[in-house]
Amino acid sequence: MSEESTAEGDHRRASIITALREGVRRVDDLARTCGVSTMTIRRDLQVLEQRNEIRRVRGGAVPVDAWTFDHRLGRSTAAKDVIAAKLLSLVPEKGGIGFDGSTTVHSLARCLKEQPVHDLTAVTTGFETFHELSRTPGCRAYTTGGTADLHTGSLVGPLAQVTLQQFALHTCFLSATYLDESIGSTEFTADEAAVKRALTAVSQRTVLAVDSSKLGRRAVAKCLSLEEIDILVTDLSPEDERLEPYRGLVELM
């Protein structure tokens, strides 16, 4: 098995992305941060550049605009379609629901027009998701105020959290940067994690939707423990062995 396909390599490259977003740029500094050789870092940067997740510059690398909403929307589209189809069955015909600003949950909002809803209220932290929801018959859409997270485009900060406190929701639909069986879901920024926790706090049920490439990996900011997640929805069959670490801890779908 090649190094690039190992869990160790995946975790290290996730750490590199996190470090780049925190301002670490030079190969030497990345090597010290990750505790590996500069040769290993250069190999990892080559892999990340091929994935269009970073741009290499002299002496190091910088994060590219690959994490803008439009770019993320075009990643893992088949997996997102599978997930959105599963999520549709969890949307009530009426009542209150919450959406984060992720592209995975945006796929659900886009598909919501295919399912009849009546007197449904939806609040979201994402501009693009709000636009989809506002065009959905039978759905009254709200978006929070707040500051746009430069990494995700989601609305975050105290104003977003205060707005969410005005709602009492049946279900919130969230995604995550990564999901680890030990510490739960994680995000690239603490602000993003905080607003997702705020959505969970006003919801009776929390649904986390992540594609299988995000499993077993960690970003820098802790968000939700597995105990706080009611249903985990992925592009995998619930019987898939890759979901074994989560079996019995959350409902799998």
Side-chain angles (χ1 to χ4, degrees):
M1 182 178 294
S2 66
E3 179 183 351
E4 286 74 12
S5 65
T6 64
E8 181 180 64
D10 285 339
H11 283 294
R12 188 178 59 253
R13 284 185 283 276
S15 298
I16 290 172
I17 291 291
T18 300
L20 290 174
R21 296 197 174 282
E22 293 176 344
V24 181
R25 296 287 185 263
R26 296 186 59 81
V27 169
D28 291 347
D29 295 332
L30 290 168
R32 281 192 292 271
T33 298
C34 297
V36 295
S37 69
T38 57
M39 183 177 297
T40 297
I41 292 296
R42 288 192 174 91
R43 285 198 298 265
D44 285 336
L45 292 178
Q46 183 177 4
V47 172
L48 292 169
E49 187 174 44
Q50 290 171 348
R51 295 177 182 173
N52 199 29
E53 295 182 12
I54 62 100
R55 178 166 57 86
R56 300 181 75 176
V57 297
R58 185 173 182 178
V62 294
V64 298
D65 291 336
W67 291 99
T68 62
F69 185 89
D70 287 343
H71 181 89
R72 289 183 288 117
L73 192 63
R75 292 171 59 90
S76 304
T77 54
K80 289 173 184 175
D81 289 344
V82 171
I83 290 171
K86 292 182 179 182
L87 292 176
L88 272 176
S89 66
L90 300 175
V91 178
E93 288 191 9
K94 59 182 180 179
I97 58 176
F99 291 70
D100 69 9
S102 67
T103 56
T104 300
V105 173
H106 176 270
S107 297
L108 167 62
R110 192 175 60 235
C111 295
L112 197 57
K113 302 180 186 70
E114 304 170 5
Q115 178 165 307
V117 297
H118 306 285
D119 196 23
L120 185 67
T121 296
V123 59
T124 180
T125 60
F127 284 122
E128 292 81 0
T129 299
F130 170 74
H131 292 152
E132 290 290 344
L133 293 170
S134 64
R135 295 194 293 266
T136 300
C139 179
R140 184 182 298 107
Y142 295 89
T143 186
T144 65
T147 303
D149 187 307
L150 295 179
H151 299 309
T152 66
S154 299
L155 292 168
V156 298
L159 183 56
Q161 295 179 47
V162 168
T163 302
L164 291 171
Q165 291 170 8
Q166 312 311 308
F167 292 87
L169 304 177
H170 178 274
T171 301
C172 67
F173 297 92
L174 311 175
S175 189
T177 300
Y178 297 124
L179 180 66
D180 179 84
E181 61 267 26
S182 299
I183 63 173
S185 68
T186 54
E187 302 295 336
F188 277 131
T189 69
D191 285 341
E192 181 74 8
V195 79
K196 291 186 180 184
R197 286 195 295 270
L199 259 172
T200 300
V202 298
S203 303
Q204 294 178 343
R205 181 175 67 171
T206 297
V207 178
L208 185 72
V210 294
D211 71 71
S212 54
S213 69
K214 297 181 176 183
L215 299 176
R217 302 168 66 181
R218 301 182 181 186
V220 67
K222 290 183 179 181
C223 188
L224 300 178
S225 67
L226 291 179
E227 289 76 12
E228 296 172 295
I229 301 166
D230 296 298
I231 304 175
L232 174 60
V233 179
T234 74
D235 53 312
L236 304 174
S237 164
E239 291 75 32
D240 194 290
E241 63 180 11
R242 284 169 287 182
L243 293 173
E244 199 60 39
Y246 311 94
R247 202 174 308 282
L249 301 176
V250 295
E251 181 181 343
L252 300 176
M253 186 174 177

